[in-house]
Amino acid sequence: VLGVLLSLFSSVTGALRLPQQLAILSPELKKEVAAQDKELAAGSWHALLQKYRRLLASGDAPAYVHYLIGRVYSRIGLYKAARAELEECLELAPRHLPALTCLGSCLVRLRQYDEAEHVLDMAAAMSPGRADVLLTRAAVHVQRGFPERALPLLAQAGQAGGGRKVMLQQALCFYK
């Protein structure tokens, strides 16, 4: 049962994360994130990292470049490296909401649950009701062995998730 919930978290948070992140990004960064997703799907992450390292060296928007590098590392499963880049981004831009949510997710993967909750609390304070933040907070409870504490968060995420509400309701059915 716990494994089913975790796999649902993974698929639902992946489905919700991009549209919500794009809603708060500049038009230029939206285009870069969309292009990044295409290149990652094609397995071109080495080229992306080289491109971002050159951008970082040029001094162009270092906070966003650290976020993009952290996002690549997170997507390929290098969570410690992602954490370092995302924390660098947040030092330069403490209110960078996509970096906060991505960092929270990385911390869950690294089993740093107290830190994840702290980061996710900051993200929730900045943007209450974000489905990706709610789902990641629910994942913390599941990972700690308290799936019943995840249910209210799943319900809130279902309300915030719009078209993905049916998928979240199906996840809730397993745990009522």
Side-chain angles (χ1 to χ4, degrees):
V1 173
L2 193 59
V4 172
L5 184 57
L6 289 174
S7 68
L8 284 169
F9 277 133
S10 181
S11 64
V12 173
T13 54
L16 291 174
R17 185 172 32 250
L18 182 61
Q20 290 208 347
Q21 285 180 350
L22 288 178
I24 58 172
L25 299 178
S26 68
E28 298 81 25
L29 196 55
K30 284 181 189 180
K31 289 179 189 175
E32 184 58 39
V33 166
Q36 183 186 75
D37 285 340
K38 288 180 186 174
E39 290 193 45
L40 284 171
S44 304
W45 61 272
H46 287 291
L48 278 172
L49 290 175
Q50 289 175 346
K51 172 183 167 182
Y52 297 147
R53 293 284 177 211
R54 285 192 301 272
L55 275 174
L56 201 55
S58 74
D60 289 341
Y64 287 118
V65 177
H66 282 293
Y67 163 68
L68 291 168
I69 293 170
R71 190 172 181 276
V72 170
Y73 282 138
S74 175
R75 295 280 305 274
I76 62 173
L78 298 174
Y79 301 112
K80 287 183 182 179
R83 177 184 183 171
E85 293 295 337
L86 294 165
E87 287 175 343
E88 186 70 30
C89 170
L90 291 166
E91 280 186 36
L92 298 168
R95 297 188 51 80
H96 193 282
L97 191 54
L100 279 171
T101 57
C102 191
L103 177 59
S105 180
C106 288
L107 290 167
V108 170
R109 302 278 186 171
L110 292 168
R111 300 174 192 251
Q112 302 293 316
Y113 304 125
D114 290 337
E115 290 179 69
E117 283 187 312
H118 175 70
V119 167
L120 294 168
D121 286 345
M122 290 190 306
M126 288 172 53
S127 183
R130 280 180 55 101
D132 56 345
V133 174
L134 292 165
L135 288 168
T136 307
R137 291 173 91 183
V140 171
H141 292 303
V142 170
Q143 292 288 344
R144 285 185 161 168
F146 302 106
E148 69 280 0
R149 293 182 187 170
L151 292 176
L153 296 170
L154 279 171
Q156 290 174 15
Q159 292 170 353
R164 290 148 187 96
K165 187 174 183 177
V166 171
M167 196 172 177
L168 291 166
Q169 286 172 336
Q170 289 172 345
L172 284 172
C173 289
F174 286 106
Y175 299 97
K176 285 191 176 182

